[in-house]
Amino acid sequence: MIEVPEQQSAPADAAPAATALLAPGQGAQRPGQLAPWLELPGVLERLGEWSEAAGLDLVAAGTTWTAEQILPTEVAQPLVVATSLLVGRELMRTATPARLAGHSVGEWAAAALAGVLDDATALRLVAARGRAMAACCAGGGSGMSVVLGGEPAEVEEAVLRAGLVPANRNGAGQLVVGGTVEALEALEQDRPAGAVVKRLPVAGAFHTPAMAAAVPVLRAATEGVAAADPVLPLLSNADGEVVASGPEVLRRLVAQVAGPVRWDLCTTTLAGAGTTTFVELPPAGALSGLARRALPDVRVLAVRGPEDLPAAAQLLGAG
């Protein structure tokens, strides 16, 4: 979960070393996010196949459903991944990024674009992930807050005092924490100096031990799934490192449900590799905002609609 609103053609064998394609996570969804893309050739057919795999009418969810209807975890996760995958496939017809990364459930989209999973399998597993995480949230009692700013050491101390767990270390002065509602209220009362604490509209404490029961459920759903080795460098949320083994990517994706997202380390890896150009897939904005704040000198494009594809391809090709 991220709280940062925002805002070409390279051949596959000559991807510039300075580009990264990013896939956002849950919380990025917005009503009508698929509508601009439906007129592209083959899109409706592809979404029909993915809807069957996910057990969710993605076209309806992405065009006519309200913000309240797409908020539940079991809807938001496959909808976000389907949108990123759809646009990622369109973009990668003519442009090839040097590296791929996705935030939280967005890592599933990045893994599919890297060739680890076929698209339908990725959507099936993401839907299973969403349902399993939603089940962990049944009955309420837990949630998440974002902490913006403040002295890092003081923020960490306040989080620990409140009994909360760092869930998303997003970098750029942003930390998302999870735990019980009482612990979240304690942090609000004991707010670190210079920090803003804001409750997030989520059903539970994602990426914390509160999601532990979802891990074996998702692991069972992956049984028999053949995970291919990535054909493009793919960063892991676990430690920001590039993972070259398909089975290891899948193992990390399963464990990620109850473990922290280290987007800060992904950013560090990309910066260390000399990445100067970031293109964020829709529903875009959050990761673009983080990139701009963490790395002010990089080029960033948040893809909003089909009209942005030529500029995105040009950026990926420019390096």
Side-chain angles (χ1 to χ4, degrees), residues 7 37 87 91 279-284 288 301-305 308-309 312:
Q7 140 169 210
W37 304 97
V87 179
L91 180 58
V279 173
E280 184 184 3
L281 295 168
S288 301
L301 174 64
V303 177
R304 309 288 191 183
D308 294 324
L309 289 178

Side-chain angles (χ1 to χ4, degrees), residues 23-309:
Q26 185 176 352
Q29 73 274 4
R30 58 181 64 94
Q33 67 188 47
L34 279 175
W37 304 97
L38 296 187
E39 294 184 5
L40 295 181
V43 164
L44 282 174
E45 292 80 359
R46 203 176 315 165
L47 288 172
E49 176 187 352
W50 295 353
S51 293
E52 185 174 350
L56 174 69
D57 187 341
L58 292 166
V59 174
T63 56
T64 63
W65 289 12
T66 66
E68 290 73 23
Q69 288 175 302
I70 64 174
L71 180 63
T73 303
E74 62 271 27
V75 175
Q77 292 192 9
L79 178 59
V80 166
V81 170
T83 306
S84 293
L85 262 180
L86 182 72
V87 179
R89 291 295 179 206
E90 291 295 324
L91 180 58
M92 290 175 65
R93 291 178 189 273
T94 56
T96 303
R99 293 172 181 81
L100 289 160
H103 188 283
S104 185
V105 75
E107 192 175 357
W108 289 83
L113 292 171
V116 176
L117 302 167
D118 67 77
D119 296 346
T121 298
L123 265 300
R124 176 178 68 81
L125 294 176
V126 166
R129 179 188 193 270
R131 291 191 296 268
M133 293 175 72
C136 290
C137 301
S142 69
M144 304 179 83
S145 292
V146 61
V147 185
L148 300 170
E151 175 63 34
E154 294 180 7
V155 169
E156 295 282 347
E157 291 174 3
V159 167
L160 291 175
R161 279 198 306 273
L164 294 166
V165 177
N168 300 347
R169 294 185 181 273
N170 290 329
Q174 184 185 116
L175 175 68
V176 176
V177 298
T180 65
V181 172
E182 292 77 14
L184 294 172
E185 291 173 346
L187 180 63
E188 292 166 2
Q189 296 299 318
D190 183 25
R191 179 175 55 84
V196 174
V197 178
K198 180 180 178 182
R199 195 80 60 93
L200 295 175
V202 296
F206 303 148
H207 298 293
T208 75
M211 297 291 110
V215 173
V217 175
L218 182 55
R219 184 179 297 118
T222 67
E223 289 182 6
V225 171
D229 293 344
V231 298
L232 291 170
L234 175 68
L235 275 64
S236 169
N237 280 182
D239 54 14
E241 295 299 314
V242 173
V243 181
S245 161
E248 175 63 9
V249 170
L250 189 58
R251 186 196 70 78
R252 287 174 176 234
L253 286 171
V254 171
Q256 176 212 68
V257 168
V261 171
R262 295 303 306 267
W263 192 252
D264 57 339
L265 297 181
C266 290
T267 301
T268 297
T269 295
L270 291 170
T275 307
T276 58
T277 300
F278 293 78
V279 173
E280 184 184 3
L281 295 168
L287 299 181
S288 301
L290 285 175
R292 287 190 178 98
R293 291 175 59 188
L295 306 168
D297 296 329
V298 301
R299 291 173 292 185
V300 180
L301 174 64
V303 177
R304 309 288 191 183
E307 67 278 5
D308 294 324
L309 289 178

